[in-house]
Amino acid sequence: MLYLLHQLLDINIFQYITVRAGISFFVAFILTLIIMPRYIAWAKSKNANQPIYKHAPEGHQAKSTTPTMGGLVFLGSTLFASLLTIKYNNFFALGALLTIILFSLIGIKDDISKITHKKNEAGLSTRAKFLMQIGASLIIGLYLYFGGFMTELYIPFYKHPIFDMHIMAMVFWTMVFVSTSNAVNLTDGLDGLATVPSIFSIMSLTIFVYIMGHAILSEYLLVPNIKGIGEVTIVATALVGSLIGFLWHNCHPAEIFMGDSGSLALGGFIAYMAIITKNELLLFLVGFVFVMETVSVILQVGSYKARKKRVFKMAPIHHHFELKGWAENKIIVRFWIMALISNLLALITLKIR
């Protein structure tokens, strides 16, 4: 809408991505701060509380009265701020919005089932959730593939593509979407634990998005120049703004949880940004905390099935540290520190090519 004002009324300031990105950030941030307290009060009145997994550490049962599905608010704020500021004909920005909507719908379905039955186990089955994630991933993959998006595979520290995946890019992108959305979902187990690493990941990938959409900067840093990709910066800053507004209420002790409606959409969006910036493999650094949480679950399940022994006291790994006696705040902040450092290391790859 703001870009239309630039075209209709010749308001030049609205043609710049940086200006519209700044506006989208503050609109989403303020909107989330205004709506969230009202949503929390409404959710409490409807008993829309977070069902706690029965095998979670004992202290988590005290959180059973905390409302969930806060993702509806910060994602709604993100969509509103984005629609206010993006170019409506931009291929990549529309793909970003499509990603947020599709993955949030899966989470909404899962959250509503849990709330309705008042049991964590009453949500979508693992099989159903995977199938729906694969379906959403294929829709976005088809959108990118038939929209003419490049299918070459790039690796960190090297400026040329390794090879062209062609149609197999669809399979690869689906793996990236499903694994990343589930990784963020697994991390969402403590107050603010998934929120801040998501902010760091999105901010890092936003830098890549802006640079790759800028002809001069992309040439200087030896990264692909992808026309139109810079517009995704605006959606990303809107999401960061809304997440910061959400963190105001989600920090320990949390007044609201994001729910699967938020975590699955965050993971899907991070995956989308990695794919369009050709940084799928760099996600191991950008999303290091998410990777660590996922690997801990894989190791725990694999070890127990193979040896009938556990590697950790409990998985995901943040529960392991809880059972070791670490205070929740200490776990959260230390994971935030790891996320910050890993993202700084990821950004260094921009210059080493």
Side-chain angles (χ1 to χ4, degrees), residues 26-263:
F26 283 107
V27 168
F29 171 67
I30 293 169
L31 200 58
T32 302
L33 280 183
I34 291 172
I35 297 174
M36 193 63 75
R38 293 165 173 77
Y39 173 79
I40 292 172
W42 176 84
K44 284 182 176 179
S45 71
K46 300 296 182 181
N47 291 319
N49 302 328
Q50 173 71 56
I52 305 300
Y53 181 52
K54 63 182 179 182
H55 297 302
E58 188 176 341
H60 282 239
Q61 299 307 317
K63 301 181 179 185
S64 60
T65 58
T66 304
T68 188
M69 293 184 73
L72 288 178
V73 177
F74 70 72
L75 293 176
S77 298
T78 299
L79 293 174
F80 177 84
S82 299
L83 291 171
L84 183 69
T85 47
I86 64 168
K87 294 180 183 177
Y88 294 151
N89 64 345
N90 184 272
F91 174 78
F92 293 103
L94 293 178
L97 298 183
L98 176 65
T99 301
I100 291 172
I101 292 169
L102 288 178
F103 279 90
S104 66
L105 287 174
I106 299 170
I108 290 169
K109 170 64 176 172
D110 194 34
D111 285 336
I112 290 176
S113 296
K114 292 176 183 176
I115 293 170
T116 302
H117 296 92
K118 302 298 181 184
K119 289 175 62 179
N120 189 279
E121 297 80 7
L124 292 172
S125 67
T126 302
R127 176 186 171 85
K129 186 180 287 188
F130 266 107
L131 288 175
M132 293 175 77
Q133 287 173 311
I134 290 170
S137 303
L138 287 173
I139 291 171
I140 302 159
L142 287 168
Y143 175 83
L144 290 172
Y145 185 80
F146 288 106
F149 182 64
M150 63 174 68
T151 54
E152 292 89 351
L153 178 67
Y154 283 77
I155 62 172
F157 308 114
Y158 190 60
K159 61 185 177 182
H160 300 296
I162 302 301
F163 60 87
D164 194 334
M165 297 180 286
H166 299 291
I167 191 65
M168 289 305 294
M170 294 285 296
V171 177
F172 180 57
W173 293 342
T174 298
M175 291 172 57
V176 173
F177 274 118
V178 174
S179 58
T180 308
S181 60
N182 280 312
V184 176
N185 185 232
L186 284 172
T187 307
D188 184 32
L190 298 179
D191 301 346
L193 182 60
T195 307
V196 172
S198 293
I199 291 171
F200 290 152
S201 298
I202 294 168
M203 289 176 68
S204 294
L205 291 168
T206 300
I207 292 172
F208 280 94
V209 163
Y210 184 76
I211 289 171
M212 294 175 76
H214 195 290
I216 297 174
L217 290 176
S218 60
E219 182 180 7
Y220 173 69
L221 292 169
L222 304 177
V223 296
N225 176 231
I226 304 174
K227 186 177 180 181
I229 195 176
E231 199 74 9
V232 179
T233 302
I234 297 166
V235 182
T237 53
L239 185 51
V240 169
S242 64
L243 280 172
I244 293 173
F246 172 69
L247 184 63
W248 186 269
H249 300 281
N250 182 237
C251 59
H252 185 71
E255 302 169 54
I256 182 77
F257 297 135
M258 68 171 68
D260 285 9
S261 54
S263 60

